[in-house]
Amino acid sequence: MKKIIFLLFLNASFVILSSFCFAQNKHIDTLIATIKTFKPDTNKVKYLNQLSLSYEYIGDFEKGLKCGTEALELACKLNFKRGVAQASNNIGNIYYNYGSYPKALEYFFMSLKINEELKRKNGIIALLANIGNIYKNQADYSKAGDYYIMALKMAEEQKNKHSIAGLLGNIGGIYEGQKNYPLALDYYLKALKIAEEIEDKNEITILHSNIGGIYQNQGNFSKANDYYFKALKMAEMAGDKNAIAQDLGSIGMLYTATGKFKEAEEYLKKAVSLDDSIGALNELMLIEESLSKLYDTIGLHKQALKYYKKATAVKDSLYSQENKKQLVRKEMNYEFDKKEAETKSANDKQQAVAEEKNRQQKIVIWSVVFGLFLVVVFAAFVFRSLRVTRKQKNIIELQKNEVTKQKDIADSQRIIAVELREISEKQKEIVEEKQKEILDSITYARRIQRALLTSDEYIKNNLPAEHFILFKPKDIVSGDFY
């Protein structure tokens, strides 16, 4: 028997306050006493949601639904969206346990819509998983898989190991429903590894039960028995009536398969009693079917027929055509509301763009008007300036004529100066040319004189070591020879 995995998103304060106290009635009493001290505010909504979850956990769905409904009504009055989302999810889970899938789907979609508005990723993951559970229970594995995969992708992006473990287990449930037991077992074991790593006891309990179911389907009754009893022990320690009922039913079906009919009847009847007391219709149907098969096997046909009729009545309620139609309508309503919201958002954006365009047009018009005003002012200023400029121009013309006369005189003087400078330059050139000719002649004479003088090397070789030459021409050429 496959146990359904729930992914609940809780307020942080609730996790701290009650994660280890679900099974204790005094915790519920404490919550009730605390709620009485609050005014109708958001804190009261939070604690009512916590109380609803606590009742759900111990299998008292009626009180859980009552608290969840009260929390939802108050949250709506206060426009407390997170409270509405939490209460809707709690109510959806209770209707799910009752087997009222259309109602459950209605509240799950309500919660999903708000979580999407608030961009609460973990809340969205939980809701997608819960919606997937509904479709899986209706054997619509394709649609269930779509929701699980969407949720798993987001959980991996968020690195939310708790959700990853739960979703891997849910996907394993799809493969189990399709009788692909090796692949289902692979997913369950992957999920169990993560759950043990993060010490998620609730998830570990669920996965032990699921793995036991796989081993039973594969004919490995010994391993199935070990996993079922481990799951039952953990569920009893936690006080989770829903899980206890499912594990009792699993053990009963295992005993039926192994021929231990007396033990099977004992465990199945305990499961029926517990499921009936908490109103878990889906599980009740499965156990009643199992009892019917057990009694048929051992020849108690009246008893078999009795439980067959009971199981059929529940099954007709859960899987009726009208029920499926309602599921489709709920999803279509959600999709329609979502598209309507998207359309409204698009229209709002278009309106905002149009208003912005209109605002810009007004700015342009006023800018043009202001610009024209500035042009007129500027034109008046220019006209006045032109009159002043004309007067100034006449004065400047007179001054300019005077300057022109002075300039003509200066130009004449400059021409004379240039001509005198040119004459001076020519005279300078003549003098320099004559000077160069004289210097060239003297230089040549110096070369002749140098050629006739005895070389320093020759004198050095033919005179004693201590000697000197005194030869100082006055300018270029000397009048003496040594």
Side-chain angles (χ1 to χ4, degrees):
M1 184 174 70
K2 174 71 177 72
K3 182 173 181 181
I4 300 304
I5 295 173
F6 292 96
L7 293 176
L8 301 175
F9 56 98
L10 310 177
N11 294 323
S13 60
F14 180 53
V15 174
I16 294 167
L17 178 64
S18 60
S19 59
F20 300 102
C21 309
F22 271 125
Q24 300 177 13
N25 285 327
K26 68 175 184 179
H27 168 65
I28 292 177
D29 293 338
T30 302
L31 281 175
I32 292 170
T34 305
I35 288 168
K36 288 178 180 178
T37 65
F38 287 123
K39 295 177 181 179
D41 57 13
T42 56
N43 282 322
K44 187 170 184 177
V45 173
K46 291 175 185 177
Y47 275 82
L48 281 168
N49 277 325
Q50 292 172 23
L51 186 58
S52 174
L53 280 170
S54 297
Y55 279 130
E56 181 192 340
Y57 194 86
I58 64 172
D60 194 339
F61 298 140
E62 186 178 348
K63 287 182 180 177
L65 183 60
K66 182 181 177 183
C67 291
T69 304
E70 188 179 347
L72 180 61
E73 289 173 355
L74 181 56
C76 289
K77 284 180 183 177
L78 298 171
N79 195 26
F80 178 32
K81 289 191 174 182
R82 288 188 66 167
V84 172
Q86 179 70 63
S88 301
N89 185 62
N90 293 350
I91 294 169
N93 272 319
I94 292 168
Y95 278 121
Y96 176 91
N97 283 304
Y98 276 141
S100 181
Y101 297 139
K103 275 279 188 184
L105 200 61
E106 177 185 345
Y107 282 97
F108 284 153
F109 277 129
M110 184 190 301
S111 184
L112 178 61
K113 184 178 179 182
I114 296 171
N115 275 280
E116 286 175 338
E117 287 175 11
L118 299 175
K119 297 181 180 178
R120 297 185 68 210
K121 295 290 180 68
N122 288 332
I124 294 169
I125 292 166
L127 269 303
L128 291 173
N130 288 345
I131 292 166
N133 287 340
I134 289 177
Y135 286 112
K136 189 182 72 60
N137 273 14
Q138 294 285 312
D140 190 343
Y141 297 124
S142 175
K143 188 160 280 188
D146 290 341
Y147 280 99
Y148 289 155
I149 295 299
M150 279 192 289
L152 181 60
K153 185 178 178 183
M154 289 182 68
E156 288 172 339
E157 288 172 358
Q158 295 295 109
K159 297 181 180 179
N160 184 337
K161 288 191 175 183
H162 170 76
S163 295
I164 292 169
L167 287 160
L168 288 172
N170 287 3
I171 293 168
I174 289 177
Y175 286 116
E176 184 179 352
Q178 295 171 333
K179 301 189 186 306
N180 188 341
Y181 301 128
L183 201 52
L185 183 60
D186 183 50
Y187 271 92
Y188 286 152
L189 290 173
K190 284 179 182 176
L192 181 60
K193 184 179 178 182
I194 296 171
E196 288 175 338
E197 180 186 327
I198 60 176
E199 298 182 354
D200 187 340
K201 291 181 180 180
N202 184 52
E203 203 67 51
I204 293 168
T205 304
I206 292 168
L207 290 165
H208 271 78
S209 180
N210 293 342
I211 292 168
I214 296 295
Y215 282 126
Q216 181 177 339
N217 287 320
Q218 291 179 327
N220 192 338
F221 300 130
S222 175
K223 274 195 171 183
N225 186 73
D226 290 343
Y227 274 95
Y228 282 150
F229 273 101
K230 283 180 184 177
L232 178 60
K233 186 178 179 181
M234 287 186 279
E236 286 174 340
M237 287 176 66
D240 186 346
K241 288 184 181 179
N242 201 33
I244 292 168
Q246 291 176 22
D247 292 327
L248 288 170
S250 296
I251 293 168
M253 284 187 271
L254 177 63
Y255 281 147
T256 301
T258 55
K260 296 179 180 180
F261 302 126
K262 185 178 179 181
E263 292 90 340
E265 182 183 19
E266 178 187 347
Y267 277 92
L268 289 173
K269 280 193 170 181
K270 284 180 181 177
V272 165
S273 176
L274 197 50
D275 279 328
D276 191 41
S277 70
I278 63 178
L281 294 184
N282 189 61
E283 296 302 320
L284 182 62
M285 176 198 71
L286 294 172
I287 303 302
E288 287 175 339
E289 281 182 349
S290 298
L291 268 172
S292 176
K293 289 176 185 177
L294 170 64
Y295 286 129
D296 190 55
T297 302
I298 61 178
L300 298 175
H301 301 300
K302 283 186 177 180
Q303 289 289 86
L305 181 60
K306 172 188 171 184
Y307 281 101
Y308 176 77
K309 286 180 177 179
K310 284 186 175 183
T312 302
V314 177
K315 190 173 185 178
D316 289 343
S317 172
L318 292 175
Y319 299 103
S320 66
Q321 196 63 31
E322 180 58 30
N323 217 3
K324 289 183 179 180
K325 286 179 182 178
Q326 285 188 48
L327 290 179
V328 172
R329 281 199 293 271
K330 299 298 181 188
E331 184 169 22
M332 287 177 67
N333 287 340
Y334 167 75
E335 292 296 334
F336 176 77
D337 290 343
K338 190 174 180 181
K339 286 181 180 177
E340 189 175 40
E342 289 172 356
T343 303
K344 186 177 181 301
S345 177
N347 290 337
D348 289 344
K349 285 181 181 178
Q350 289 178 351
Q351 186 176 350
V353 169
E355 288 176 357
E356 178 62 20
K357 191 174 180 181
N358 187 40
R359 190 180 69 83
Q360 290 178 353
Q361 285 178 343
K362 286 181 179 179
I363 291 171
V364 170
I365 291 168
W366 281 108
S367 298
V368 170
V369 170
F370 184 69
L372 288 172
F373 174 73
L374 289 177
V375 168
V376 171
V377 172
F378 182 72
F381 174 76
V382 168
F383 179 73
R384 181 176 173 279
S385 297
L386 282 173
R387 291 180 63 189
V388 173
T389 303
R390 284 196 191 98
K391 290 180 179 179
Q392 292 175 340
K393 187 179 178 182
N394 292 332
I395 295 168
I396 290 168
E397 285 293 330
L398 292 173
Q399 293 174 341
K400 187 177 178 182
N401 291 334
E402 183 64 29
V403 169
T404 303
K405 289 179 182 178
Q406 296 295 329
K407 186 180 176 184
D408 289 343
I409 295 169
D411 288 342
S412 299
Q413 291 174 344
R414 190 163 50 252
I415 291 168
I416 293 169
V418 169
E419 289 175 352
L420 290 172
R421 188 162 56 251
E422 287 176 354
I423 293 168
S424 176
E425 289 290 331
K426 285 181 182 179
Q427 289 174 345
K428 183 180 177 184
E429 286 174 5
I430 293 169
V431 171
E432 286 177 349
E433 187 179 349
K434 293 297 181 181
Q435 185 179 11
K436 184 176 181 299
E437 288 175 359
I438 294 167
L439 283 172
D440 287 345
S441 297
I442 294 170
T443 302
Y444 186 73
R446 177 176 174 272
R447 289 174 62 192
I448 294 170
Q449 185 182 43
R450 289 285 181 183
L452 292 174
L453 291 173
T454 305
S455 69
D456 292 345
E457 188 66 27
Y458 180 83
I459 293 171
K460 182 180 177 182
N461 292 334
N462 290 280
L463 286 180
E466 294 182 1
H467 71 275
F468 67 91
I469 299 170
L470 181 65
F471 182 66
K472 288 187 176 181
K474 182 179 181 294
D475 289 312
I476 298 172
V477 68
S478 172
D480 301 319
F481 291 87
Y482 58 78

